[in-house]
Amino acid sequence: MNARQPKDPKASKERATGAKKVTFNAAGREERAISKSKPNRATMKNKSRLQLSRHKPITIINEKIPGSSAIPKEKFSCGRAEELLREYLPTKLANVTYEPAKCASLTIALSEEIKHLVKQVTPPRYKLVVNVTIGNKSKDENVDIVVTSQCLWDPHSDNFTSSQYVNETLFCVVLVHAVYFE
């Protein structure tokens, strides 16, 4: 069923998936050399440049709302929700020290309280998803953390906000996703 073709690293490769055909480019010589060498700052910088140079920016002209998109009467206000979070987090976490067992139950309590707090300024028909992350901020160690999220949603009606708080012993990152339910 599959016919063997000669391997050419510069040629694009194709894979049949059902009725659709997906095309992608094979990694070039420079990219393979970077991925095999020991990663350091210079190679990571070059690798990021290579990845960025392959993708052309997308420009949206005359953006129209698709017919399948939900159109809420009132949209979720990120600014109001973020302001509430900025006022709320210091009041709850100012005198808290990091203890793993204590912070595990604290994240659950904080997420419930934040959900009820933000729900007061949320328009009808929005569902809220609250994610609270609390971690140790040790003076002895350099602690770096990146918290990200990815969602599949309708950009015309759904939105999110985030806030963070740091004291001497802990850090807290809060993500609130507001998804319109039609």
Side-chain angles (χ1 to χ4, degrees):
M1 190 170 186
N2 287 344
R4 291 206 166 237
Q5 298 176 0
K7 293 184 180 179
D8 182 10
K10 292 184 180 177
S12 65
K13 297 186 179 187
E14 297 177 356
R15 177 181 298 168
T17 56
K20 297 180 182 178
K21 214 175 207 183
V22 179
T23 305
F24 58 94
N25 289 329
R29 230 182 308 146
E30 298 142 356
E31 292 175 51
R32 274 188 257 121
I34 289 172
S35 65
K36 289 180 182 178
S37 65
K38 183 179 177 184
N40 62 27
R41 190 174 187 157
T43 58
M44 295 304 287
K45 193 173 182 180
N46 288 338
K47 185 176 180 182
S48 68
R49 282 185 189 154
L50 285 173
Q51 290 175 347
L52 291 176
S53 66
R54 287 188 291 153
H55 302 290
K56 294 179 182 176
I58 298 172
T59 305
I60 299 173
I61 301 172
N62 296 331
E63 181 179 349
K64 294 181 181 177
I65 299 175
S68 61
S69 179
I71 304 172
K73 292 178 183 174
E74 183 182 356
K75 289 190 175 187
F76 177 74
S77 173
C78 295
R80 290 185 356 204
E82 188 175 352
E83 186 178 321
L84 285 173
L85 291 173
R86 266 190 265 125
E87 293 172 4
Y88 174 78
L89 289 176
T91 61
K92 286 294 184 176
L93 298 173
N95 299 323
V96 176
T97 57
Y98 182 80
E99 296 172 22
K102 182 176 152 186
C103 287
S105 60
L106 181 62
T107 57
I108 295 169
L110 282 176
S111 64
E112 286 297 320
E113 290 176 18
I114 289 170
K115 184 172 73 172
H116 291 297
L117 180 71
V118 174
K119 201 163 197 90
Q120 294 173 359
V121 297
T122 303
R125 305 193 60 86
Y126 274 92
K127 303 295 182 189
L128 297 176
V129 178
V130 179
N131 183 1
V132 177
T133 304
I134 296 179
N136 185 14
K137 183 184 165 221
S138 176
K139 292 181 181 179
D140 300 332
E141 303 171 10
N142 287 338
V143 179
D144 291 332
I145 186 167
V146 177
V147 177
T148 64
S149 65
Q150 186 175 6
C151 300
L152 179 62
W153 64 10
D154 184 357
H156 302 287
S157 59
D158 304 335
N159 217 334
F160 79 99
T161 188
S162 65
S163 187
Q164 66 233 357
Y165 176 79
V166 179
N167 69 15
E168 293 82 29
T169 63
L170 61 84
F171 64 88
C172 178
V173 179
V174 177
L175 295 169
V176 178
H177 292 86
V179 181
Y180 187 72
F181 185 71
E182 198 169 38

